Amino acid sequence: MGKMARKAKAEDPLLAPLLHPGWGYNLVVVILAALVAWGIYSWAGQLRQGLAVTGMRDQVFWGLYISTFIFFVSISLTGTFLSAVLRVTGNTWQVPVTRLAEVITGAALLGAAAMIVVDMGRPDRLLNVFIYGRIQSPLIWDVIAITSYLVGSLIYLYLPLIPDIALCRDRLGQVVSPARRKLYTLLALGWQDTPAQRERLEKAIGAMTVTIIPVAVSVHSVTAWIYAMTIRPGWNSTILAPYFVASAFLSGVAMVIIFMSVYRRAFHLENYITPLQYSKLGWLLLGLTLAYAYFSFAELLPGAYKLEEHEVGLLSLLFTGGQAMLFWFSIFGGIVIPVALMCWPKTRNVAGLTIASILIIVTMWIKKSYLLVVPTLQVPLMPFFTLGQYSPTLAEWTITIAGIAGFILVVLLFFRFFPVITVWEVTETSGDSGREFQFSLRA
Amino acid sequence: MVRGFPYSRRMEAVICILFGLVVALGLVLPSVAMARPEFLSRAPANLSSRGCNLCHSQVPSLNDFGQAFKQNSFSFAGLTDQGGRSETPVATGGKGAVAGAATQGDKGLQVKLMLPAEVVRGEKTGLKAWVTAGGEPVDGEQVRFYEETDLFIGGRMYLGEATTNAEGMAEIDYWPMATEGEVKLVAQVAAGADIPAAEGAATFPLVAAGPLVEPVARLEVPFLGGWLVFVLVGAVWAIYLYSVYSALQIRRLGREAVEEKVAQARQERRYASI
């Protein structure tokens, strides 16, 4: 078999999902689209009737929307970490999952922006944030940081995609619709795989790799500072920014593992996403979980030791009060059980790691998003306030679920048109075939 | 009746009953959700005539009398008509100074704003409206108070509402916070089934008007300032532009490569023909 023929054979399994994703994929897309449509319907009702349809009031003024915004910002770090940081440090094992991580980043940032718009009582005044915003406000820092990160992430996603788009143009151009063919031709930027083009591309990717890392760290720090710049219990802490960065790494890696497992199984990518990636990501996940556990302890201890008036209210609420069930679930479900799953030899496998990742993602939403926002606002700071109450309404639940469904939908639809694995980098790293790639990695 | 639907009349009856129940529920539930004036029923006769306004400026916010009543362990004993009222700026004249223009509705309803002698920004001010019809006070009329504002677009900001008492007076507590030197207020009787809307408006000067934010001492670090943010963000976006520019150069290089291939093929064909 000739070199070109072997290369084409290696590319086939990676391009197959772009043509025939299967009924299961279509079913999931339809369900997610229905959830998104339901959420849009609820949002229309919210626009008509105002934020009064939510459970948010003047004391607890942030709820599910802002919690989910933080969650999306958290998982958006994954693209930078798995792609940029490991690229800069000369690693290659992560190559098969970098595209996945970068797309998760882009989709998560779009989701974060959507949740902010949803949380605004008057989204038609969104432009006023830019017109009348003051640079002294952490909210404006966040707007600047997230906008920069979103644009940078999309560029960073697009650049390594160019050779693969050209591959789709050349290999699928005759079998896909004319509109899709035009899309591939337009986005491929006339890629001919010449040395001069490669040099240009490498330069651009290199510049973006170095730039996107501090931008990503700034996004997570600034999001933390929105809270840390206040003097509310639980938020008034210097540890919040590094804590956010660590938990963002953790939730990002967990999210990649979940998507990786689904795609590997659904599209038979076992030759490309091998136990090596699980092994490396598993160790990363374990290390990050332990770091997160340390940060959680370090966050709670000073407040629990000093027992200032409002801090007592917050800690009581978390340890024994109305939020205790969620709090202790987040400790056991997000730290103890995942660590046990990753350490116990019998569960140290793909299934165990995926379950641990799902648990971590759920508890990241609970602990680092919901329990960060709501209990602090519940604590009464004014003498005439009592313990604040917050119960999300049906409208909030449907809009939030639609946001999460929309995030998954964006990822799925993206990989309907573009390969989930970076074909040109995988074949470049491994030789000509996926099987060789697998062996070389195992060796 | 259509054959094949022998129970249609009964079904109609069931639907009518269900519909009636839903309507009845719709009528009953809001009243259940409204405040129940249990305390008011215990109030002495000289106080109870003021209705909800006895304790509330606007439900559920308590006015001074309401606060005094609460602090008095929800007892009217020892409380006078003035209750715990603090030093509300006293309106000049018998019923306060009438200020501003007043409109008159079709049925002779007239609304006049009663302004205190002096209004200090940020301090609680009793804002009153006097509703009369043919010179006689009108009792039980709902009055809404607004402030004319200009926040991006001009409009009326809702301040609160109150019901007129036997003297035709409706009052709310108001904390003027405008930065301008004077504020325009409007008192309006909402249009009802038999009473058309009428309103009174007045402009009054604010004492201590000026910027709301008082400058405080801040940490001054030489060479550090907002410019640093612009430089850092600018540098990031400059690299983005460079990357996009590099990507666009790929198109040019690709076009050149294709042209080179075509030229080479032509040359080969030419040589072959020779």
Side-chain angles (χ1 to χ4, degrees):
Chain A
M1 193 184 291
K3 189 179 176 184
M4 291 303 287
R6 277 191 292 133
K7 190 166 185 265
K9 195 181 175 187
E11 290 164 358
D12 282 346
L14 302 176
L15 298 178
L18 277 59
L19 294 175
H20 307 291
W23 68 269
Y25 171 91
N26 292 332
L27 181 68
V28 172
V29 166
V30 167
I31 292 170
L32 292 172
L35 287 173
V36 171
W38 191 16
I40 291 172
Y41 174 75
S42 293
W43 186 49
Q46 183 182 299
L47 283 179
R48 204 167 46 245
Q49 298 174 42
L51 287 175
V53 299
T54 69
M56 295 184 283
R57 291 295 180 266
D58 54 353
Q59 191 175 344
V60 182
F61 50 80
W62 281 340
L64 284 191
Y65 300 152
I66 292 297
S67 302
T68 312
F69 157 74
I70 299 170
F71 173 71
F72 278 137
V73 171
S74 282
I75 56 177
S76 73
L77 189 60
T78 180
T80 309
F81 181 62
L82 280 182
S83 185
V85 175
L86 295 177
R87 196 191 289 264
V88 164
T89 51
N91 284 283
T92 54
W93 62 265
Q94 82 285 358
V95 167
V97 293
T98 51
R99 170 84 39 83
L100 195 55
E102 287 159 9
V103 172
I104 287 173
T105 294
L109 285 172
L110 290 174
M115 295 318 293
I116 287 292
V117 173
V118 160
D119 191 65
M120 296 179 84
R122 291 289 302 268
D124 52 309
R125 293 180 176 173
L126 183 64
L127 213 57
N128 289 341
V129 174
F130 298 96
I131 298 171
Y132 301 103
R134 300 179 73 238
I135 197 68
Q136 292 90 335
S137 164
L139 288 171
I140 292 301
W141 306 348
D142 209 33
V143 170
I144 294 170
I146 287 185
T147 310
S148 300
Y149 189 40
L150 176 63
V151 172
S153 296
L154 293 179
I155 296 171
Y156 191 59
L157 166 68
Y158 175 60
L159 291 175
L161 198 62
I162 294 171
D164 282 354
I165 298 174
L167 181 75
C168 294
R169 176 198 63 195
D170 299 339
R171 292 285 309 279
L172 308 177
Q174 301 306 314
V175 287
V176 295
S177 65
R180 198 163 155 184
R181 187 164 60 240
K182 271 186 189 167
L183 178 76
Y184 287 146
T185 307
L186 183 75
L187 295 177
L189 294 178
W191 180 262
Q192 300 295 324
D193 203 15
T194 65
Q197 281 183 319
R198 275 189 172 249
E199 192 188 335
R200 273 279 169 193
L201 186 65
E202 293 289 350
K203 263 189 184 175
I205 292 176
M208 285 305 298
T209 306
V210 175
T211 312
I212 204 78
I213 297 170
V215 176
V217 172
S218 78
V219 166
H220 296 86
S221 304
V222 164
T223 306
W225 288 333
I226 289 178
Y227 307 95
M229 294 303 178
T230 67
I231 48 173
R232 284 175 178 273
W235 294 356
N236 183 19
S237 164
T238 54
I239 204 174
L240 224 51
Y243 188 19
F244 259 58
V245 174
S247 57
F249 275 136
L250 176 62
S251 48
V253 170
M255 187 59 90
V256 167
I257 290 173
I258 295 169
F259 269 103
M260 198 168 97
S261 298
V262 171
Y263 264 91
R264 182 178 187 256
R265 193 176 175 86
F267 297 108
H268 309 293
L269 300 173
E270 289 85 354
N271 285 345
Y272 302 91
I273 300 172
T274 67
L276 179 87
Q277 278 79 41
Y278 280 99
S279 171
K280 294 276 189 186
L281 286 173
W283 283 115
L284 255 178
L285 196 71
L286 179 61
L288 289 167
T289 309
L290 293 174
Y292 165 74
Y294 165 72
F295 271 113
S296 297
F297 181 72
E299 181 204 24
L300 294 170
L301 182 66
Y305 189 87
K306 288 183 278 187
L307 285 180
E308 286 170 316
E309 185 191 350
H310 298 306
E311 207 73 39
V312 176
L314 176 68
L315 294 175
S316 304
L317 200 59
L318 292 175
F319 292 163
T320 54
Q323 306 289 2
M325 205 170 75
L326 283 177
F327 176 78
W328 290 113
F329 174 78
S330 74
I331 298 296
F332 285 95
I335 298 172
V336 178
I337 298 174
V339 167
L341 282 170
M342 288 183 275
C343 290
W344 196 32
K346 282 193 175 178
T347 51
R348 207 187 301 150
N349 50 34
V350 172
L353 194 57
T354 308
I355 292 169
S357 300
I358 292 169
L359 279 172
I360 286 170
I361 282 294
V362 171
T363 50
M364 277 295 117
W365 188 89
I366 293 173
K367 175 68 175 71
K368 282 311 295 157
S369 303
Y370 186 81
L371 288 183
L372 176 86
V373 173
V374 174
T376 290
L377 295 175
Q378 281 184 286
V379 176
L381 297 184
M382 298 288 189
F384 46 85
F385 274 178
T386 52
L387 187 71
Q389 298 300 320
Y390 172 69
S391 301
T393 60
L394 182 65
E396 278 176 284
W397 278 116
T398 51
I399 292 171
T400 304
I401 290 169
I404 293 167
F407 157 71
I408 301 170
L409 192 62
V410 168
V411 176
L412 292 188
L413 288 179
F414 186 90
F415 292 129
R416 178 72 177 84
F417 294 93
F418 305 105
V420 68
I421 286 177
T422 322
V423 183
W424 69 285
E425 280 190 300
V426 164
T427 50
E428 197 174 69
T429 318
S430 64
D432 291 332
S433 76
R435 190 153 289 283
E436 284 172 25
F437 176 70
Q438 180 191 6
F439 290 151
S440 66
L441 285 174
R442 277 183 175 168
Chain B
M1 187 180 297
V2 181
R3 285 176 72 84
F5 289 90
Y7 300 110
S8 61
R9 195 174 289 275
R10 190 178 295 172
M11 282 171 67
E12 278 173 18
V14 170
I15 289 167
C16 283
I17 290 168
L18 283 175
F19 181 73
L21 279 174
V22 170
V23 171
L25 268 176
L27 291 172
V28 168
L29 281 178
S31 61
V32 170
M34 298 290 274
R36 286 179 297 173
E38 288 175 4
F39 289 134
L40 189 63
S41 63
R42 285 167 24 203
N46 64 324
L47 297 175
S48 62
S49 61
R50 287 166 62 183
C52 300
N53 291 113
L54 179 63
C55 291
H56 300 284
S57 51
Q58 55 188 95
V59 178
S61 302
L62 294 175
N63 58 23
D64 290 345
F65 186 91
Q67 293 285 3
F69 175 64
K70 189 179 176 185
Q71 284 165 9
N72 205 28
S73 305
F74 299 103
S75 167
F76 289 100
L79 290 180
T80 62
D81 186 14
Q82 294 303 309
R85 296 187 80 84
S86 61
E87 292 302 314
T88 306
V90 181
T92 54
K95 287 180 176 141
V98 177
T103 60
Q104 194 166 326
D106 291 349
K107 300 213 169 180
L109 205 66
Q110 203 169 34
V111 184
K112 290 174 181 173
L113 262 174
M114 315 292 287
L115 299 179
E118 187 180 63
V119 179
V120 182
R121 195 183 58 188
E123 288 188 8
K124 188 166 77 172
T125 306
L127 194 61
K128 296 178 185 174
W130 186 29
V131 183
T132 55
E136 291 300 314
V138 180
D139 189 9
E141 216 41 76
Q142 196 75 4
V143 180
R144 291 181 179 175
F145 295 88
Y146 299 93
E147 181 184 315
E148 296 274 1
T149 62
D150 189 13
L151 187 69
F152 308 133
I153 52 168
R156 286 180 175 182
M157 184 170 72
Y158 174 75
L159 298 175
E161 59 188 73
T163 309
T164 53
N165 57 17
E167 295 175 337
M169 299 290 282
E171 180 181 2
I172 63 163
D173 289 331
Y174 165 59
W175 285 262
M177 292 303 290
T179 53
E180 292 82 9
E182 54 183 27
V183 175
K184 186 176 181 186
L185 296 172
V186 178
Q188 186 187 74
V189 174
D194 55 349
I195 301 175
E199 66 178 39
T203 303
F204 65 91
L206 260 185
V207 177
L212 284 168
V213 182
E214 290 178 11
V216 291
R218 58 180 186 174
L219 194 64
E220 292 286 354
V221 182
F223 309 115
L224 277 185
W227 64 271
L228 192 62
V229 177
F230 289 105
V231 168
L232 288 173
V233 175
V236 165
W237 280 83
I239 295 171
Y240 289 176
L241 284 176
Y242 164 76
S243 299
V244 171
Y245 171 76
S246 292
L248 293 176
Q249 290 301 305
I250 289 172
R251 179 184 289 279
R252 181 183 59 81
L253 292 169
R255 204 167 42 236
E256 284 174 5
V258 170
E259 284 167 3
E260 199 176 321
K261 273 183 192 170
V262 170
Q264 204 173 352
R266 271 189 200 147
Q267 205 168 10
E268 281 172 5
R269 276 203 301 275
R270 199 177 299 151
Y271 285 140
S273 64
I274 293 168

